[in-house]
């Protein structure tokens, strides 16, 4: 399984900070909290997690799903924390979760951020909802442990017809 280099992940962290990675939730006392925001989830152009995404990926293209996981509160070092990456697809009118991979987020000593990256190969055209979920091994605030990001794969799943007398949006196959 391909993983991002330290330089790649540092650049992701810098970009997330530069583009407003969201507000840090308040944490009281020595309590620690892991959290992730949608802005912390990135799509990279290959499964080695080393190239930025350009254009719309096609079915069968290997991508990288990267995420920055934040740690707030306390100074106690924590061990690796499982991060679950999944995709949600519409099946018979319902969103169904399909696991992609699990990757440990490792927080370097003194660091408040960890990065993960997993390879993913979408199999068909359409829109995907990718979810990154933190599975902490300690008790903490749970309502900021998951973030989603949408991505379009392949050609547009609908067609727009415009003429002087017609305006019609047809659902794709």
């Amino acid at each position: 399984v391909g993983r991002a280099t330290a330089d790649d992940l540092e650049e992701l962290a810098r970009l997330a900070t530069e583009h407003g990675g969201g507000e840090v939730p308040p944490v009281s006392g020595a309590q620690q909290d892991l959290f992730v925001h949608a802005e912390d989830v990135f799509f990279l152009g290959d499964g080695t997690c080393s190239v930025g995404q350009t254009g719309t990926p096609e079915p069968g293209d290997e991508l990288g799903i990267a995420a920055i996981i934040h740690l707030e509160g306390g100074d106690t070092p924590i061990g690796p924390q499982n991060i679950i990456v999944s995709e949600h697809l519409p099946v018979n009118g319902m969103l169904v979760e399909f696991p992609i991979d699990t990757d440990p987020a490792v927080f370097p000593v003194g660091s408040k951020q960890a990065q993960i990256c997993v390879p993913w190969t979408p199999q068909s055209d359409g829109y995907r909802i990718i979810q990154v979920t933190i599975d902490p091994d300690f008790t903490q605030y749970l309502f900021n442990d998951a973030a989603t990001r949408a991505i379009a794969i392949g050609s547009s799943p609908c067609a727009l017809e415009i003429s002087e007398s017609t305006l019609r949006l047809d659902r794709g196959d």
Side-chain angles (χ1 to χ4, degrees):
V1 174
R3 299 286 183 241
T5 66
D7 290 340
D8 296 327
L9 295 174
E10 284 178 15
E11 178 64 8
L12 284 174
R14 184 191 67 75
L15 289 171
T17 301
E18 182 178 295
H19 296 286
E23 292 296 315
V24 176
V27 177
S28 61
Q31 180 184 352
Q32 292 179 303
D33 182 41
L34 295 170
F35 62 97
V36 62
H37 295 288
E39 301 87 29
D40 300 321
V41 179
F42 302 86
F43 298 105
L44 301 175
D46 68 359
T48 65
C49 297
S50 61
V51 179
Q53 178 188 344
T54 57
T56 302
E58 294 295 325
D61 289 352
E62 189 172 37
L63 304 174
I65 301 170
I68 297 171
I69 309 302
H70 303 274
L71 171 64
E72 178 63 23
D75 293 323
T76 305
I78 64 171
Q81 302 295 309
N82 281 332
I83 309 300
I84 302 160
V85 180
S86 57
E87 71 176 304
H88 295 259
L89 299 171
V91 176
N92 295 326
M94 296 177 56
L95 282 178
V96 178
E97 181 176 6
F98 295 92
I100 295 172
D101 204 350
T102 299
D103 198 27
V106 178
F107 289 84
V109 175
S111 177
K112 296 294 186 179
Q113 291 184 342
Q115 298 87 25
I116 61 109
C117 190
V118 300
W120 172 56
T121 304
Q123 300 300 313
S124 61
D125 286 328
Y127 294 102
R128 301 291 187 278
I129 299 171
I130 301 301
Q131 181 169 318
V132 174
T133 305
I134 301 166
D135 183 21
D137 64 3
F138 57 91
T139 302
Q140 61 144 22
Y141 181 73
L142 297 176
F143 293 109
N144 56 6
D145 286 357
T148 58
R149 196 81 189 241
I151 184 171
I153 305 297
S155 59
S156 175
C158 61
L160 178 63
E161 179 184 334
I162 300 175
S163 70
E164 285 186 26
S165 61
T166 306
L167 174 60
R168 187 173 79 208
L169 181 63
D170 292 327
R171 184 178 175 165
D173 298 330

